[in-house]
Amino acid sequence: MTLHVMGRATRPDPSVEREIGPPLVSALMQDEPLIFELDCWHKTGVDFPDQIFGSDRDDSDLAGLTRGAPLRLPGLSEPEAVRHYVRLSQKNHAIDLALYPLGSCTMKHNPRLNEKLARLPGFIDLHPLQPVSSVQGALKVMDRLAHWLKTLTGMPAVALSPRAGAHGELCGLLTMRAAHEARGDARKTVLVPTSAHGTNPATAALAGYQVREIAQTTDGRVDIADLAAKLDADVAAVMVTNPNTCGLFEREVIEIARLTHAAGAYFYCDGANFNAIVGRVRPGDLGVDAMHINLHKTFSTPHGGGGPGAGPVVLSAALAPYAPTPWLVDDGVHLALIEHADGAASAALGRMSAFHGQMGMYVRALAYMMSHGADGLRQVAQDAVLNANYVKARLGGVISAAFPDGPCMHEALFDDAWLEGSGVTTLDFAKAMIDVGFHPMTMYFPLVVHGAMLIEPTETEPRRELDRFCDAVLDLAGAVKAGNVERFKGAPFHAPLRRLDETRAARTPKLRWTPVD
Ligand SMILES: *Cc1c(COP(=O)(O)O)cnc(C)c1O
């Protein structure tokens, strides 16, 4: 494959190229300037008629609000604009290019059918302030989606409006707080396992709680004795991820729920890993009081930087009266969204977001559910677990599995014991994966596993792609064992930028572009 370098790409170091061969993914080599840097401001892709910008423009309706100076939008011809955005679209690794092994993220293929349905004019032209009589079909979609989510989880209620998993966690905890407060019970603590996703303690803190950690056993699960010891009358909720972030099923989950309820607390389940159990386990049967479902993970809607996501929260009968508004109600003739249901409790929380949530994601997720059916969704979970175990089996003999005994759920977790003494770290290894055309796996998470590498292949990867990925990892592992440290320390060599200063990027990010002139 020839390498077509655009923009200001850093050329690969030829000595390294001789050693590791030409890059496999040329798209990663492009460096594209900002559109403002490409700008030639007097240029335009369209010739506007004089009435719009010329002297005979009619400003009489503008009440003096006429723009006094030109708007500094970047000026590009049409091909320049198209190329800019196409090059940007190729800068990132994408699920449409290759397997995307990020653990805990469920980067599965999103069927094109979802997109087709979400783009039907009846959906994309909707406005949230339209009269309710004109959006009965859209409300029906929400109602059907709610029905699927309740059925799959075995829970009686669902709040659709949260915009992401983390927002769903907040919704769940605020609902629990409202339920405690309704009884005059001002509990102050939330218990979270040490292996929890960072959003769990962050959410608990945002909801005004003190966070206490629950220890983990050596087999990667919640330490029940430690949980029982910490469950006092001040605990409002216990938050547990199941399957957990080590990719293991919490076998004692029913006991966790029982102990939690016996202490007067609620049981929050982080449902980000629902892909491993969808169609096979109903969280309602496990004693869960609230669980968010990341539609962008399990139900194949696009992941979007906190933007276009949706994280509905299913609720138990105890919490359902405290669900946020609006509520979708069916009077037998019409569907309606209402702000105040009967009973005082319903108004406690108010809204989690403007209007009713992310309609486009509802359509995509429902399309996914209906096209798979219950049997198809059950197979999703089976194949996701099978694929992860295939990866664990192929890699486990060479790189060290964090919990080697027994199968994993939908993600395979490795540690850095096998790198000890090699001079190569988890970070170095991950960066070297970019050079061979793969997105790195999740690194250093969960924190309880030293130098963690978490791989989630998902059910949508065929065996051929799993093998291509495993071959690449094993090949790199061979280079580690051969003592080829340079290949890792300097990686990535085949990317427009080399090793970034991640601390500086996080601490002093540049969020605004300032014109040079
Ligand atoms: C992804 C994830 C979250 C947060 O979900 P977002 O939709 O990214 O806000 C929470 N917990 C776990 C375990 C996750 O993997």
Side-chain angles (χ1 to χ4, degrees), residues 9-195:
T10 319
R11 307 242 164 212
D13 176 343
S15 65
V16 173
E17 183 143 337
R18 231 173 293 120
E19 177 131 345
I20 71 176
L24 300 178
V25 180
S26 60
L28 287 176
M29 293 306 296
Q30 301 181 14
D31 188 19
E32 180 68 9
L34 297 178
I35 196 164
F36 290 96
E37 293 168 332
L38 294 171
D39 165 40
C40 192
W41 79 272
H42 55 272
K43 207 194 276 185
T44 160
V46 186
D47 291 326
F48 290 104
D50 280 351
Q51 300 91 285
I52 296 184
F53 292 119
S55 52
D56 50 351
R57 183 174 59 176
D58 178 9
D59 292 340
S60 52
D61 287 347
L62 293 176
L65 295 174
T66 323
R67 180 176 296 284
L71 185 61
R72 278 294 306 261
L73 291 176
L76 278 80
S77 68
E78 182 169 322
E80 285 175 309
V82 169
R83 283 175 192 155
H84 173 70
Y85 286 109
V86 169
R87 290 198 294 251
L88 278 187
S89 76
Q90 294 175 347
K91 254 183 102 130
N92 280 329
H93 186 79
I95 189 67
D96 293 345
L97 282 172
L99 169 150
Y100 210 132
L102 275 182
S104 215
C105 295
T106 314
M107 306 295 286
K108 61 169 79 177
H109 169 71
N110 301 329
R112 295 298 186 267
L113 174 71
N114 302 353
E115 296 303 320
K116 209 169 166 177
L117 293 178
R119 282 169 173 70
L120 289 175
F123 292 128
I124 44 172
D125 294 341
L126 282 176
H127 191 281
L129 293 177
Q130 251 173 269
V132 146
S133 61
S134 69
V135 293
Q136 288 296 304
L139 296 184
K140 189 78 193 160
V141 165
M142 292 170 65
D143 195 44
R144 293 280 292 273
L145 176 69
H147 175 74
W148 273 88
L149 292 173
K150 289 186 287 186
T151 306
L152 288 168
T153 56
M155 305 280 276
V158 60
L160 292 178
S161 61
R163 301 295 180 120
H167 201 211
E169 291 171 29
L170 183 63
C171 176
L173 285 199
L174 293 180
T175 308
M176 290 172 182
R177 199 175 69 185
H180 283 304
E181 282 173 359
R183 285 195 304 271
D185 195 345
R187 294 170 177 242
K188 289 267 170 297
T189 316
V190 169
L191 299 183
V192 176
T194 46
S195 62

Side-chain angles (χ1 to χ4, degrees), residues 361-446:
M361 296 303 131
Y362 301 160
V363 176
R364 288 175 175 89
L366 184 62
Y368 180 77
M369 292 166 171
M370 292 178 70
S371 58
H372 280 69
D375 284 348
L377 291 176
R378 197 170 301 125
Q379 193 182 341
V380 160
Q382 280 168 208
D383 290 352
V385 171
L386 182 64
N387 275 358
N389 278 286
Y390 184 76
V391 169
K392 186 178 181 189
R394 273 215 62 195
L395 302 181
V398 180
I399 73 176
S400 43
F403 300 99
D405 298 335
C408 57
M409 293 297 287
H410 64 311
E411 43 195 4
L413 179 59
F414 301 90
D415 60 23
D416 63 356
W418 71 284
L419 289 172
E420 213 181 309
S422 69
V424 174
T425 64
T426 291
L427 179 71
D428 300 330
F429 192 85
K431 295 293 181 194
M433 289 188 64
I434 297 172
D435 286 333
V436 294
F438 281 99
H439 194 285
M441 61 285 272
T442 288
M443 305 176 280
Y444 300 107
F445 174 78

Side-chain angles (χ1 to χ4, degrees), residues 103-105 163-167 169 196-200 241 245 270 272-273 292 294 296-297 310-311 445:
S104 215
C105 295
R163 301 295 180 120
H167 201 211
E169 291 171 29
H197 192 268
T199 52
N200 293 185
T241 310
T245 59
D270 179 330
N273 293 337
H292 72 260
N294 314 61
H296 47 286
K297 292 179 182 171
F445 174 78

